[in-house]
Amino acid sequence: MRKFFYLLFLAITITSYAQTPRVQKLWYDKPSGKTWENALPVGNGRLGAMVYGNVVNEAIQLNEHTLWSGGPNRNDNPDALAALPEIRKLIFDGKQKEAEKLANKAIITKKSHGQMFQPLGDLRLTFPGHDNFTNYYRELDIERAVAKTTYQVDGVNYTREVLASFPDRVIVIRLTADKPGKLTFDASYASLHKIKTIKTTASKDLTIAGTTQDHEGVKGMVRFKGIARIKTEGGTVTANDTLLVVKGANAATIYVSIATNFKNYNDVSGDENALAASYLEKASSKSFAAILNPHIAAYQKYFKRVKFDLGSTDQGKLPTDERLKNFRNVNDPELVTLYYQYGRYLLISSSQPGGQPANLQGIWNNKMMPPWDSKYTININAQMNYWPAERTNLSELHEPFLKMVEELSETGKETAKTMYGARGWMAHHNTDIWRATGAIDGAFWGMWIAGGGWTSQHLWQHYLYHGDKAYLAKIYPILKGAATFYADFLIEHPKYKWLVVNPGSSPENAPAAHEGSSLDAGTTMDNQIAFDVFSSTIRAAEILKKDAAFTDSLKQMRKRLPPMHVGQHGQLQEWLDDVDDPNDHHRHVSHLYGLFPSDQISAYRTPELFSAARTTLLHRGDVSTGWSMGWKVNWWARLQDGNHAFTLIKSQLSPLGTSKEGGGTYNNLFDAHPPFQIDGNFGCTSGITEMLMQSADGSVHLLPALPDVWQAGNIGGLLAQGGFEVVNMEWKEGKLTKVEVKSKLGGNLRLRTPNALKSADNKAVKIASGQNANAFYQNEAVANAVISPKANAAAPDLKQTFLYDIPTQAGKTYVFAGQ
Ligand code: FUC
């Protein structure tokens, strides 16, 4: 009897564990089946894997970050230079459509439109006789970066764990049965590559080797090698031709190593065989336990920096896909914190120093011809991937993107010169692993010159967060090169006399007045990016005390950029002329670049532009593609409207297909453009941060956009510019109760808060006055807006805030209590 109660107790404990896992897990009570977007992602920045958790036919879909079609190549169109004056004239004459036609011929590449990120294939594991399973459960533990599947067959409990080890550079799969000798399965590779060999070796390794394909006239030059090795406890391993067979084991560990010959965008002379073998030899000499703990430690070094709690409800007891279905209608703040931390998990897993930046799908792609080639769209998407990097305390993971910008500044020099006769460097709206900088797809999309300008601002932002002058000196030539390109490319507008980008564009949108062409001169986004490129270069030069004559000339040019315009509908004009349609719901709202990620548009410094930006966003509407909604969360946060931002989060956290205009989330919480595109995950993670803390516009603004549903909570570990870390921040009933800020660089900490603060020892905090003296919080004044006489300009309706100045010393932490 006693034994019965003990077993009953155990059963209850196990069931309740299975049904109420710790918060930071995605979990399900069903296998993925054939649906890739049900599978769970693991990755270490170099390798990615999607774990299906299927019982009889398990598939672990494999990616390696450098496995791309093609090889080193350039795609400039040398006809551009001769056609440039004619294209410019057509645009200045209001013949945008004709200009677009000419640009299609003379500017768009005749070569590669970008190469494809491709999968290696699947590691398939087959478990004969496991058809009748019970107690099925699978999870992705984002606190440990381990995927797990458990089930029972004939009274035996089977467990599979999968991880992509950070320190050991391999994917490891651990299989156990809780009764001896019960583990029997076989392992094989499946791959869609045409040039490949799959075989087992004399030492019983399962190997796949091949070469990626030619694409759009570029020869496939990436050779890849994958090796899987199985070590068992008990039982036997035999090797058939293309199959490893495990029989009667107690447990097995599979080590998967993958490498390519890719060294950098210009060099494919690596030895994939030696690399794959060396990672494998090192890793396979270790037990699973010896790999697991260092893996978790390496992952948690990043992950644990931010803790976030908005409270919980009973929804936490449901599988993740059920919660996703309910989210629109049921309060589930824990799904928000899970989704938030999942964004951080995805960045840690897809972007590691020394590796490739997270692409359109991070590092997870199972298609030979993925949507948009799974490459880098730099008119928004790749930048969005990195919005959480600094804010959510993952600065080191910004490195692959920053490195890509550095490489673009090398390849983009020739593009600037041969296509536009300009010095400096530039990139159009896309790039790939070969760092191609030519114009692709068609002039409607590709005739956009600001890819270099915008991406270069990430280098400056990285400096603003950390204040490392040696770093600034290192990247200064890249900023200067971006500015030099603009200095050469800008041209005087014959009517307005402003200096404008021509041909310019407002990405992928087109007003009816331009006959459906996206090309124009002096579009708002082009002006805003030029303004930022000049301003950051001038400030960097001043900090580094160099290039005074050059910065003087940039200052003169900056003054001549077109100001922002408020149009007849009260909107922020997207184009130089007032031709916006208030019923336009296009996903790109590029002219709000000035509101976020830039902070040229401010509630306090430019209230009329702030109101106009709000009107524009209301015109554009909410529901759109995933990334567009992700951007909108950031914008509504900057507009200090937490409830509206939350409406967007609800649309984003809806199962795919719920909103007819698109967008939504897959069962594995991947964002849906649709199809899967990871930028929406990262954009939303950034946006949630912006709702809680903003460091822009001259201050560290706490709780700028708290929605009514998050009245109590706490978050710790967010980074602000100027080396501040909001170590902890707690709030109740929408008011701050406790704030702890660590200053790493010293300097004035200007805090903006929704309620009054006092110091921890009950002393008054100094009220702010004048300009923030902190060098990292300087804003260059934008020109006064040109406002249409028809515009009904309402002043922004802002909540009251409190503004404090706290002198800080490097290394000290400052604690405040809410009043
Ligand atoms: C841009 C967007 C599309 C898509 C693609 C990858 O072209 O307009 O919506 O996100 O990038």
Side-chain angles (χ1 to χ4, degrees):
M1 199 57 171
R2 225 149 120 212
K3 195 169 171 198
F4 169 76
F5 277 119
Y6 173 68
L7 286 177
L8 187 69
F9 166 72
L10 207 67
I12 290 169
T13 326
I14 289 170
T15 331
S16 68
Y17 171 70
Q19 287 178 354
T20 46
R22 289 195 330 236
V23 177
Q24 289 175 338
K25 285 179 179 179
L26 284 69
W27 69 276
Y28 308 83
D29 54 13
K30 289 179 281 300
S32 297
K34 291 204 161 84
T35 308
W36 185 82
E37 294 85 356
N38 285 342
L40 296 171
V42 296
N44 64 5
R46 287 186 62 250
L47 304 176
M50 293 291 281
V51 183
Y52 280 71
N54 290 339
V55 174
V56 179
N57 294 304
E58 174 62 310
I60 316 277
Q61 186 261 309
L62 300 166
N63 287 105
E64 201 273 355
H65 65 152
T66 62
L67 209 158
W68 286 65
S69 68
N73 75 93
R74 300 193 57 86
N75 61 355
D76 307 320
N77 186 340
D79 299 341
L81 192 54
L84 189 60
E86 178 63 15
I87 291 172
R88 287 183 151 164
K89 184 171 181 310
L90 287 168
I91 290 177
F92 281 143
D93 289 349
K95 296 176 181 160
Q96 285 89 347
K97 198 70 201 171
E98 279 180 52
E100 190 180 311
K101 278 187 201 147
L102 183 51
N104 269 327
K105 276 196 214 133
I107 290 190
I108 294 305
T109 187
K110 300 205 162 51
K111 296 179 175 169
S112 163
H113 287 254
Q115 296 298 313
M116 303 176 292
F117 175 56
Q118 298 189 309
L120 174 93
D122 293 355
L123 179 70
R124 300 258 168 100
L125 306 176
T126 310
F127 297 80
H130 282 206
D131 307 72
N132 294 321
F133 57 88
T134 54
N135 285 2
Y136 182 86
Y137 173 82
R138 72 187 167 103
E139 67 173 32
L140 176 65
D141 178 345
I142 62 165
E143 285 188 7
R144 294 160 71 242
V146 179
K148 184 163 89 177
T149 309
T150 58
Y151 59 91
Q152 203 180 59
V153 175
D154 293 336
V156 182
N157 291 308
Y158 292 92
T159 302
R160 303 176 192 157
E161 288 164 284
V162 185
L163 60 85
S165 163
F166 289 89
D168 283 303
R169 297 176 156 237
V170 288
I171 287 166
V172 186
I173 303 152
R174 171 74 175 166
L175 307 162
T176 60
D178 71 350
K179 292 207 176 116
K182 288 291 181 189
L183 192 62
T184 292
F185 67 95
D186 57 53
S188 59
Y189 276 127
S191 172
L192 296 166
H193 284 279
K194 286 209 178 89
I195 310 172
K196 62 159 187 285
T197 316
I198 296 175
K199 61 174 194 220
T200 53
T201 64
S203 54
K204 293 191 201 165
D205 286 337
L206 173 65
T207 64
I208 175 168
T211 306
T212 59
Q213 73 193 72
D214 304 352
H215 184 58
E216 294 176 347
V218 183
K219 188 165 173 43
M221 292 178 75
V222 176
R223 292 192 312 268
F224 55 84
K225 178 69 172 279
I227 320 176
R229 178 173 293 174
I230 306 184
K231 289 184 142 186
T232 61
E233 284 137 57
T236 58
V237 185
T238 47
N240 290 347
D241 229 12
T242 56
L243 203 66
L244 294 179
V245 181
V246 173
K247 279 204 173 121
N250 311 328
T253 307
I254 311 177
Y255 304 82
V256 184
S257 172
I258 311 168
T260 75
N261 60 337
F262 178 94
K263 279 189 154 170
N264 65 49
Y265 71 87
N266 219 1
D267 182 355
V268 285
S269 67
D271 182 344
E272 70 283 6
N273 294 315
L275 277 176
S278 78
Y279 303 146
L280 184 76
E281 287 310 325
K282 268 199 201 140
S284 64
S285 67
K286 300 181 190 174
S287 69
F288 181 65
I291 285 184
L292 179 66
N293 292 331
H295 162 72
I296 294 173
Y299 169 73
Q300 291 187 341
K301 172 183 149 201
Y302 299 115
F303 185 75
K304 291 241 154 163
R305 286 177 187 168
V306 171
K307 63 175 181 52
F308 185 18
D309 187 6
L310 290 172
S312 60
T313 66
D314 272 359
Q315 288 292 302
K317 294 182 180 157
L318 296 175
T320 306
D321 46 343
E322 294 296 320
R323 292 171 78 176
L324 184 64
K325 273 186 213 143
N326 299 342
F327 186 74
R328 276 181 96 98
N329 305 315
V330 183
N331 184 31
D332 187 2
E334 233 178 358
L335 190 65
V336 174
T337 46
L338 178 71
Y339 184 74
Y340 179 87
Q341 294 288 27
Y342 187 51
R344 298 182 66 246
Y345 168 84
L346 292 172
L347 193 66
I348 302 168
S349 306
S350 63
S351 180
Q352 286 283 317
Q356 291 299 315
N359 61 46
L360 281 172
Q361 300 189 185
I363 192 171
W364 299 280
N365 164 45
N366 66 335
K367 295 193 171 68
M368 294 297 283
M369 298 186 80
W372 291 286
D373 303 331
S374 196
K375 55 185 184 302
Y376 302 98
T377 308
I378 52 176
N379 66 13
I380 170 61
N381 316 84
Q383 287 90 329
M384 185 177 279
N385 285 0
Y386 285 87
W387 289 348
E390 303 290 344
R391 308 184 154 73
T392 80
N393 214 334
L394 300 172
S395 300
E396 298 94 324
L397 310 187
H398 211 164
E399 190 269 352
F401 185 87
L402 303 176
K403 175 83 179 160
M404 176 167 84
V405 180
E406 187 188 329
E407 293 172 348
L408 291 174
S409 79
E410 293 158 9
T411 57
K413 259 187 209 134
E414 200 175 319
T415 309
K417 191 166 156 217
T418 52
M419 290 184 66
Y420 303 113
R423 297 166 304 156
W425 67 279
M426 66 83 65
H428 294 88
H429 95 301
N430 251 268
T431 190
D432 59 12
I433 198 169
W434 312 111
R435 306 302 184 239
T437 45
I440 68 158
D441 288 351
F444 184 85
W445 302 272
M447 182 60 268
W448 181 76
I449 58 89
W454 185 352
T455 54
S456 72
Q457 294 312 292
H458 279 244
L459 305 174
W460 172 244
Q461 283 289 320
H462 187 65
Y463 167 74
L464 287 182
Y465 276 88
H466 305 284
D468 177 350
K469 282 201 188 141
Y471 169 80
L472 188 66
K474 192 177 138 242
I475 57 103
Y476 173 72
I478 304 173
L479 293 179
K480 184 178 175 183
T484 308
F485 171 74
Y486 274 93
D488 283 4
F489 192 78
L490 288 168
I491 178 170
E492 187 179 85
H493 194 291
K495 181 167 156 204
Y496 301 111
K497 309 295 172 197
W498 290 314
L499 290 179
V500 292
V501 169
N502 179 12
S505 168
S506 193
E508 309 187 29
N509 198 11
H514 299 168
E515 297 169 287
S517 171
S518 67
L519 268 55
D520 204 7
T523 69
T524 300
M525 185 197 228
D526 274 333
N527 305 333
Q528 291 169 342
I529 293 177
F531 182 90
D532 275 357
V533 169
F534 283 175
S535 300
S536 54
T537 307
I538 292 165
R539 282 187 53 205
E542 286 172 354
I543 295 164
L544 298 168
K545 299 193 173 51
K546 62 204 291 186
D547 284 346
F550 173 66
T551 55
D552 269 356
S553 72
L554 293 186
K555 283 179 189 167
Q556 296 309 319
M557 297 181 96
R558 185 174 60 187
K559 273 194 217 145
R560 297 188 59 202
L561 293 171
M564 283 183 255
H565 287 59
V566 178
Q568 55 183 318
H569 311 287
Q571 87 283 14
L572 181 75
Q573 274 179 220
E574 183 164 3
W575 314 89
L576 207 45
D577 295 317
D578 194 356
V579 293
D580 298 309
D581 174 0
N583 295 314
D584 174 7
H585 296 151
H586 199 274
R587 62 192 181 285
H588 286 266
V589 199
S590 304
H591 43 318
L592 295 196
Y593 164 90
L595 177 65
F596 184 91
S598 185
D599 61 354
Q600 294 171 29
I601 299 173
S602 147
Y604 307 103
R605 290 179 290 116
T606 63
E608 64 297 329
L609 290 170
F610 184 84
S611 291
R614 187 171 180 280
T615 302
T616 290
L617 210 47
L618 288 172
H619 288 167
R620 283 293 163 99
D622 292 340
V623 174
S624 190
T625 57
W627 64 259
S628 178
M629 296 199 287
W631 202 346
K632 286 171 186 167
V633 177
N634 292 272
W635 283 322
W636 282 111
R638 284 279 165 104
L639 290 169
Q640 303 185 22
D641 189 336
N643 285 338
H644 207 134
F646 187 68
T647 305
L648 264 308
I649 294 175
K650 281 210 279 193
S651 299
Q652 195 153 20
L653 272 173
S654 298
L656 176 67
T658 321
S659 23
K660 62 176 181 338
E661 288 92 345
T665 293
Y666 295 99
N667 283 339
N668 62 3
L669 299 190
F670 270 173
D671 179 74
H673 179 291
F676 163 51
Q677 219 172 271
I678 206 161
D679 41 17
N681 286 94
F682 294 135
C684 195
T685 296
S686 163
I688 294 168
T689 316
E690 286 283 309
M691 291 164 77
L692 301 173
M693 195 274 283
Q694 294 171 16
S695 79
D697 197 14
S699 70
V700 178
H701 192 166
L702 304 179
L703 301 185
L706 194 68
D708 294 341
V709 286
W710 302 346
Q711 284 304 290
N714 63 72
I715 191 161
L718 301 180
L719 286 196
Q721 291 177 7
F724 296 111
E725 180 174 343
V726 182
V727 182
N728 183 33
M729 169 168 95
E730 297 170 21
W731 65 94
K732 277 197 188 106
E733 292 166 16
K735 295 209 161 27
L736 287 166
T737 52
K738 192 174 178 192
V739 178
E740 266 174 79
V741 183
K742 181 168 183 188
S743 171
K744 294 179 189 165
L745 303 171
N748 186 50
L749 166 64
R750 177 163 289 187
L751 277 183
R752 189 183 285 280
T753 60
N755 54 299
L757 294 186
K758 56 188 178 186
S759 70
D761 53 0
N762 225 358
K763 293 208 181 97
V765 189
K766 193 178 145 219
I767 303 292
S769 63
Q771 176 90 7
N772 186 352
N774 190 312
F776 298 97
Y777 285 84
Q778 303 307 309
N779 289 103
E780 191 56 44
V782 300
N784 288 337
V786 174
I787 302 179
S788 162
K790 292 188 198 155
N792 187 0
D797 180 16
L798 297 172
K799 290 184 203 110
Q800 188 202 2
T801 56
F802 297 78
L803 202 59
Y804 299 106
D805 275 341
I806 300 111
T808 71
Q809 285 173 23
K812 288 210 169 149
T813 299
Y814 298 82
V815 184
F816 310 94
Q819 296 204 53

